[in-house]
Amino acid sequence: AQKITQTQPGMFVQEKEAVTLDCTYDTSDQSYGLFWYKQPSSGEMIFLIYQGSYDEQNATEGRYSLNFQKARKSANLVISASQLGDSAMYFCAMRVYMEYGNKLVFGAGTILRVKS
Amino acid sequence: DAMVIQNPRYQVTQFGKPVTLSCSQTLNHNVMYWYQQKSSQAPKLLFHYYDKDFNNEADTPDNFQSRRPNTSFCFLDIRSPGLGDAAMYLCATSRPTSGRNNEQFFGPGTRLTVL
């Protein structure tokens, strides 16, 4: 069964510094996708970045980059130049293929607090 | 803007009183999902629709039902809410394809309180 592990319940980072949020995964599938979502206190889930298992390059989206190490089964999120608005819960998720549609299996999440 | 809309944003119901949460989308996606997210936990899939085909997760209680009358709308019915059903309910949509295009788009959620 697919599983996502986020070992950091909470993280602090100083404004303008970079921070890495850890994510490891377990799957026996050869083809899979990994996502990071941000959830502010208001509750909506905001897509940040996607990495496919066959993608050779690490994904980047603006200040977000994904450090994908396939052999280690890790997909860490790096946020550069942190901003106060980055304070939120961050979820790593894996796409699980189903016959119709695909579901997401989420990790427990990491709460990030950006200090001024 | 194309989006996923959930109404209401906050819902209060009484123990045992049926409640319906609604979700609509303008993305014209085939697949719609309902997730339950309890406080300080990860979202957990309850069920999903691929067009009109309903797919229930094995561990979703019978107390939870869903309807999808057309592509745009999907409803979550809780027949007899218990205190343990208090949670954020998230609706999401996606295309049924693989790769980057399979991103799930989430609505803002409905926070359910059971008194």
Side-chain angles (χ1 to χ4, degrees), chain A residues 50-93:
Chain A
Y50 167 83
Q51 181 83 40
S53 57
Y54 292 117
D55 294 342
E56 294 184 353
Q57 305 265 357
N58 285 343
T60 60
E61 296 273 357
R63 293 187 299 112
Y64 305 107
S65 61
L66 200 150
N67 184 2
F68 182 50
Q69 298 190 39
K70 197 170 180 178
R72 293 186 176 184
K73 293 190 174 180
S74 74
N76 299 337
L77 176 70
V78 180
I79 305 174
S80 63
S82 297
Q83 302 172 357
L84 295 178
D86 294 334
S87 293
M89 175 74 92
Y90 288 80
F91 288 101
C92 180

Side-chain angles (χ1 to χ4, degrees), chain A residues 31 35 37 39-50 52 61 89 91 95-109 111, chain B residues 9-10 31 33 35 37 40-45 48 50 53 55 57 88 90 94-100 102-109 111:
Chain A
S31 178
F35 296 79
Y37 282 87
Q39 187 177 42
S41 57
S42 52
E44 73 272 29
M45 297 286 279
I46 302 167
F47 167 79
L48 295 178
I49 197 165
Y50 167 83
E61 296 273 357
M89 175 74 92
F91 288 101
R95 179 180 56 225
V96 176
Y97 290 102
M98 301 182 291
E99 185 175 359
Y100 300 108
N102 302 282
K103 73 175 180 182
L104 292 174
V105 173
F106 289 86
I111 298 175
Chain B
R9 294 292 310 276
Y10 300 90
V31 192
Y33 309 80
Y35 289 87
Q37 185 181 20
S40 302
Q41 295 184 21
K44 182 179 176 302
L45 183 67
H48 76 282
Y50 183 112
D53 292 330
N55 299 273
E57 289 297 292
M88 173 76 89
L90 295 163
S94 77
R95 300 181 187 87
T97 58
S98 60
R100 171 65 174 83
N102 188 235
E103 170 197 342
Q104 290 189 16
F105 293 80
F106 283 82
R111 198 175 296 274

